[in-house]
Amino acid sequence: MQTLAGPALADDAPTGDRVAVNGMQVYYEKSGAGDPLVVLHGAYMNIETMGEIIPILAENHTVYALEFQGHGRTTDIDRPITYPNLADDVAAFMDAVGLARADVFGYSMGAAAGLQLAIRHPDKVDRLVAASVAYDAEGWQPEFKAFIPQMTVEMFVNMPFAEDYKRLAANPDGFPALVEKLIRLEHEPMQWADDVKALTMPVLIISGDADVNTLEHAVSMLRLLGGGGMGDMGKPLPQSRLAVMPATSHTAVITQAPLLAAFIEPFLKGETPKGMFD
């Protein structure tokens, strides 16, 4: 097991390891202490690019941050990247590291994978935090929906994170193949409303007010989960909730770690702000 440099003291530094999952060698880092929390990154990202939110969450949780198929230090396989596949990978990863259940925090692609994990493997998810997510392709912003047909491999291989990929990847030449799979992922159908409505675990939806998903879609998701009604009427609030980050684009959601943690921690603890009638 490799000990990696981290922001905490040496004894608290993340430890990195690999585990066999569905034909891949999945890289993950474990840090912190407390109840288990699985952290899932976005497309084209890795553990490092999730930034400061992981060490902050590790102050109160045992964090298992993994890298998805073909991302970071995890190997790729001859298989499409789909949200159900990613969800099944997370479930198999949890089995491999001995996690029967855990809270889950996902961002962007990781949030959609977390949502599918909750749908496909509900017994494995205690509470789900889903940042910058949609449950239906119609929930994406019009600008993003218009951009999807224009996506090309060449467009992405010239971006700065293409060079960063080579630094960590098991196959430094595998980036174009990864891009092809991620472009195809954007064309995958997403119509999960009935599945979301059937979820029973608490879900925290986090959205920037200028995110890739529309605000209306985030509110629609909250309503599917039983939220969005009036409080202070003698009934307990629903367990699911919505947090909107002001002046925040999609890529700026993950850069605001203290604000994210301020939303996430009370939710994971089941804390609800008290009103005057409580």
Side-chain angles (χ1 to χ4, degrees), residues 14 22 31 51 61 66 69 78 89 105 119 131 143-145 170 172 184 219 227 237 239 245 248 255 262 267 277-278:
N22 294 338
S31 57
H61 309 272
L66 63 89
Q69 175 185 343
D78 186 14
D89 291 343
F105 165 53
I119 291 167
E143 296 91 338
F144 183 68
K145 288 190 286 186
R184 287 200 297 270
V219 171
L237 294 177
Q239 293 190 85
M245 304 174 75
T248 299
T255 66
F267 170 72
F277 301 112
D278 295 326

Side-chain angles (χ1 to χ4, degrees), residues 22 83-95 100-102 104 113-126 199 201:
N22 294 338
Y83 293 121
N85 282 347
L86 294 176
D88 291 349
D89 291 343
V90 177
F93 166 81
M94 292 175 67
D95 289 341
R101 299 177 64 89
V104 177
L115 192 56
Q116 275 294 312
L117 178 70
I119 291 167
R120 297 169 68 84
H121 306 276
D123 58 318
K124 291 190 172 296
V125 182
D126 283 325
L199 293 177
M201 77 284 292

Side-chain angles (χ1 to χ4, degrees), residues 135 203 205 217-228 240-242:
Y135 63 85
V203 180
I205 308 155
H217 189 70
V219 171
S220 175
M221 184 173 174
L222 178 66
R223 294 194 184 282
L224 285 175
L225 294 163
S240 294
R241 55 188 78 174
L242 168 66

